[in-house]
Amino acid sequence: MRRILVLAWAEVLHVARDKATLAQALLIPFVQLLVLSNAATFEIRDTPLYVVDQDHTSASRGLVTRFSASGNFTIAGASPSPELANERLLSGDVTMVLTIPHDFERDLVRTHAAAVQLVVNAEKGMAAGIVQYYASRILTRYAAELAPALGGGSAVPASTESGPRRGAAQIDVRTRAWYNPTLDYRHYMVPGILVALVTLIGTLLTAQNIAREKELGTLEQLNVTPITRGQFIAGKLLPFWVLGMFELAAGLVLGRVVFGVPMLGSPFLLLGVSAVYLVAALGIGLWISTIVETQQQAMFVTFFIMMIYLLMSGLFTPIDSMPRWVQVVAELNPVRHFVAISRAVLVKGAGLREIQRPFAILAVFAAVVFSLAVRQYSKRVS
Amino acid sequence: MTAAPAREHAIEARELTRRFGTFTAVDHITFDVGVGEVFGFLGANGAGKTTAIRILTGLLAPSSGSARVAGHDVYTESEWIKRRIGYMSQKFSLYEDLTVGENIRLYGGIYDLSREVVRERTTHMLSRLGLDAATRVQALPLGWRQKLAFSVALLHEPSIVFLDEPTSGVDPITRRQFWELIYEAAARGTTVFVTTHYMDEAEYCDRISIMVAGRIGALGAPAELKSQFDVGSIDELFVRLARPTAGAAG
């Protein structure tokens, strides 16, 4: 035990005396958490909209007003010319064109149905989908508003370019978002981003650690001492584990204070899970470090793994919608399980029982990874 | 200097061999080092000195042959060997960002020395070397670093200490001071296994071996070897032995 402690203590001194590493470990994650948490939102506001109103009636103007008042769109230009609209769409300074044809109001009054055209620039696939959803929501609401005025209980069906024609009957769907009633993306993203940042930094520091000692030649000196492989890996893991625990705890406090992230579940349960999770995440870093020869190789492998970590974490894209085999692979991603647990505990108030499956997976992961790192580390040179 | 014939052996190597692919770095070497001896392990660059030292310290597994260090087998008991030996590698390998005292405490802890013992030996070591515990190692000149590294290698009072070119690049005065430290260790009963390519240093050893292309070309006390090969100095002997392979030595 004393060997582990003296090794860990020396490690603390290395980090404390290297200003670049110290900043990387203590400052950057919190700065990034503050910046990225504001950046990571799926909400789209102020989409530039071009209006081609060829009807010029109170009904058409009413529709335009609904768009501009929604907060999701700003009117970037208006003219009766479709050519002008196309130009703006091509140049990229508008994202959507709303075309209200002649006879819009007349058709509404006569047939209780009228068509409008929405053209969305779908270069950014997911964003286009969200914009289209906002637009059809506005159209549906406007239709519902007009229905009583037009009489006969019918409404205005609106058509998007490729969408189906909507029927006259209206179903009043009221969506209530459970666990995150205000749909604040930050409540959902902050814990995930925190986990990702701590994992990135922890993995990078541990992956470079042993590789650095190989480069410096200091590892050879340790290898001729009677220190065991397990003691060595534990001594290397311990200081970064403490650092990771501190960062997660401090990050949660920051998330609570700055972003109002809810803490419905027990923060101590989450810290308990963190303790296990960090052994897994940092163990992978040390495992990498025992395999590679140089810090550069360690960086390369770490970034490769980091991409998989993040893209298969469920942080940005839901895993449930991925192909079956990807979902199986994602089970091997510790970040994914920890992101799921942290969201469940913080936002849903989950207890130990609700998170037992991912927690058990993390525990197995930690044990396996630690043993692999110990086995991989050899006190002999090849 | 004690050149007494050793009753027991600190190191016994028999037909010890290490190959890297088709290259044989250490080629069937056989020698003994007596307890308390200062044994000089000489050879040109690339002759296999470092490979041999790595096998004996348990850092590298041999390909064939056998060796016992401090009574332990290099194949199966390398972790036992590590408790009994000190090692100073060719490349300086203490932590430069730590202070002198921190390095000593780190290795004291790893070798299971109690805090009191570490404190006591640190005080003694620092007064002997004239070093300050609070000095960062990176601030030390090379000669001081080498003396410190040697003293740290002796911290746990090993029965054998392996020194891989400890005086390489060090000025002549510091080299002499370094050899004084070696003699002090030998006088306390520590076996010293030292590689060098300074031929004057070979004269300070009880016995030497000269490696040529992985083999031992000569083995014995410096005076014996000089009369046996009829040369005036070890330097001359070295050149004579090394010449046939001079083109291959790098």
Side-chain angles (χ1 to χ4, degrees), chain A residues 133-282:
Chain A
Y133 164 71
Y134 289 153
S136 33
R137 199 173 55 181
I138 293 167
L139 288 171
T140 315
R141 281 197 194 144
Y142 188 50
E145 260 180 64
L146 288 180
L150 292 168
S154 59
V156 190
S159 122
T160 58
E161 187 163 56
S162 59
R165 289 182 73 85
R166 280 159 219 277
Q170 288 290 312
I171 299 169
D172 182 15
V173 180
R174 290 194 185 170
T175 312
R176 186 164 294 155
W178 274 29
Y179 308 127
N180 187 359
T182 54
L183 273 181
D184 188 332
Y185 282 104
R186 287 177 305 192
H187 291 179
Y188 179 75
M189 293 306 290
V190 169
I193 291 172
L194 176 64
V195 170
L197 284 172
V198 172
T199 306
L200 173 64
I201 286 149
T203 310
L204 207 52
L205 287 176
T206 45
Q208 287 185 291
N209 191 286
I210 302 174
R212 176 165 174 270
E213 294 223 32
K214 286 181 192 170
E215 284 179 7
L216 288 174
T218 49
L219 190 62
E220 192 169 275
Q221 193 69 53
L222 285 174
N223 283 345
V224 293
T225 70
I227 193 165
T228 68
R229 298 188 293 173
Q231 286 165 346
F232 176 80
I233 296 292
K236 288 288 186 189
L237 190 91
L238 183 60
F240 297 104
W241 183 88
V242 173
L243 180 71
M245 288 298 280
F246 164 75
E247 286 183 349
L248 282 172
L252 282 177
V253 171
L254 203 64
R256 176 99 192 111
V257 173
V258 179
F259 300 110
V261 172
M263 280 193 190
L264 295 181
S266 157
F268 297 103
L269 174 64
L270 195 57
L271 285 179
V273 178
S274 308
V276 173
Y277 168 74
L278 283 172
V279 173
L282 301 176

Side-chain angles (χ1 to χ4, degrees), chain A residues 33-328:
Chain A
L33 182 67
L34 292 174
V35 174
L36 292 178
S37 296
N38 282 306
T41 169
F42 294 116
E43 204 176 358
I44 297 170
R45 306 187 64 84
D46 300 331
T47 301
L49 171 73
Y50 196 89
V51 177
V52 181
D53 185 355
Q54 297 168 332
D55 197 39
H56 292 294
T57 57
S58 64
S60 72
R61 278 189 295 270
L63 183 58
V64 175
T65 313
R66 298 303 182 282
F67 269 91
S68 59
S70 68
N72 296 118
F73 296 94
T74 49
I75 310 296
S79 82
S81 154
E83 288 76 27
L84 229 59
N86 271 342
E87 272 173 35
R88 299 288 296 275
L89 197 63
L90 269 176
S91 72
D93 56 280
V94 304
T95 302
M96 193 172 81
V97 175
L98 167 69
T99 306
I100 307 170
H102 272 301
D103 309 329
F104 174 71
E105 193 180 69
R106 203 189 65 190
D107 285 357
L108 271 181
V109 174
R110 281 192 191 164
T111 66
H112 303 306
V116 293
Q117 188 194 42
L118 290 175
V119 180
V120 185
N121 176 2
E123 273 175 301
K124 300 174 215 160
M126 201 164 78
I130 294 171
V131 168
Q132 193 190 332
Y133 164 71
Y134 289 153
S136 33
R137 199 173 55 181
I138 293 167
L139 288 171
T140 315
R141 281 197 194 144
Y142 188 50
E145 260 180 64
L146 288 180
L150 292 168
S154 59
V156 190
S159 122
T160 58
E161 187 163 56
S162 59
R165 289 182 73 85
R166 280 159 219 277
Q170 288 290 312
I171 299 169
D172 182 15
V173 180
R174 290 194 185 170
T175 312
R176 186 164 294 155
W178 274 29
Y179 308 127
N180 187 359
T182 54
L183 273 181
D184 188 332
Y185 282 104
R186 287 177 305 192
H187 291 179
Y188 179 75
M189 293 306 290
V190 169
I193 291 172
L194 176 64
V195 170
L197 284 172
V198 172
T199 306
L200 173 64
I201 286 149
T203 310
L204 207 52
L205 287 176
T206 45
Q208 287 185 291
N209 191 286
I210 302 174
R212 176 165 174 270
E213 294 223 32
K214 286 181 192 170
E215 284 179 7
L216 288 174
T218 49
L219 190 62
E220 192 169 275
Q221 193 69 53
L222 285 174
N223 283 345
V224 293
T225 70
I227 193 165
T228 68
R229 298 188 293 173
Q231 286 165 346
F232 176 80
I233 296 292
K236 288 288 186 189
L237 190 91
L238 183 60
F240 297 104
W241 183 88
V242 173
L243 180 71
M245 288 298 280
F246 164 75
E247 286 183 349
L248 282 172
L252 282 177
V253 171
L254 203 64
R256 176 99 192 111
V257 173
V258 179
F259 300 110
V261 172
M263 280 193 190
L264 295 181
S266 157
F268 297 103
L269 174 64
L270 195 57
L271 285 179
V273 178
S274 308
V276 173
Y277 168 74
L278 283 172
V279 173
L282 301 176
I284 289 173
L286 287 174
W287 186 32
I288 294 171
S289 211
T290 56
I291 297 169
V292 300
E293 287 302 317
T294 64
Q295 294 187 77
Q296 200 176 7
Q297 290 169 357
M299 291 265 272
F300 187 79
V301 177
T302 304
F303 282 123
F304 176 75
I305 286 184
M306 230 44 225
M307 290 304 289
I308 297 173
Y309 269 7
L310 293 181
L311 295 180
M312 289 193 178
S313 64
L315 192 53
F316 306 108
T317 46
I319 290 168
D320 297 338
S321 58
M322 292 176 189
R324 186 78 206 130
W325 69 270
V326 178
Q327 294 191 32
V328 173

Side-chain angles (χ1 to χ4, degrees), chain A residues 2-3 6-7 9-10 13-14 17 212-228 236 379-382, chain B residues 54 58-61 74-75 78-79 82-83 87 89 91 93-95 97-99 102 105-107 109-113 115 136:
Chain A
R2 174 136 172 265
R3 287 181 185 165
V6 290
L7 197 62
W9 165 81
L13 293 178
H14 295 318
R17 285 179 190 167
R212 176 165 174 270
E213 294 223 32
K214 286 181 192 170
E215 284 179 7
L216 288 174
T218 49
L219 190 62
E220 192 169 275
Q221 193 69 53
L222 285 174
N223 283 345
V224 293
T225 70
I227 193 165
T228 68
K236 288 288 186 189
K379 289 179 76 182
R380 291 204 194 260
V381 290
S382 50
Chain B
R54 283 183 161 178
L59 282 173
L60 193 67
V74 292
Y75 287 95
S78 60
E79 293 308 300
K82 286 170 185 174
R83 293 173 184 275
Y87 171 63
S89 98
K91 193 173 176 188
S93 53
L94 294 178
Y95 293 98
D97 54 338
L98 300 189
T99 66
E102 286 161 352
R105 255 175 289 158
L106 170 64
Y107 280 99
I110 287 174
Y111 282 107
D112 301 325
L113 304 179
R115 286 183 179 77
R136 290 271 180 95

Side-chain angles (χ1 to χ4, degrees), chain B residues 145-215:
Chain B
R145 288 183 185 199
Q146 296 300 85
K147 285 191 264 186
L148 175 66
F150 178 58
S151 304
V152 172
L154 289 174
L155 182 68
H156 57 294
E157 299 186 340
S159 50
I160 309 165
V161 64
F162 290 88
L163 310 172
D164 196 359
E165 296 192 5
T167 53
S168 175
V170 171
D171 69 76
I173 295 163
T174 315
R175 278 211 281 145
R176 286 220 62 115
Q177 292 170 345
F178 196 93
W179 274 89
E180 281 166 22
L181 291 174
I182 290 179
Y183 286 142
E184 283 171 24
R188 289 193 299 266
T190 313
T191 306
V192 180
F193 186 99
V194 56
T195 78
T196 179
H197 45 220
Y198 291 109
M199 292 307 134
D200 58 327
E201 291 184 350
E203 309 271 1
Y204 304 154
C205 300
D206 296 328
R207 282 194 311 141
I208 59 168
S209 77
I210 300 178
M211 268 190 100
V212 181
R215 294 169 179 276

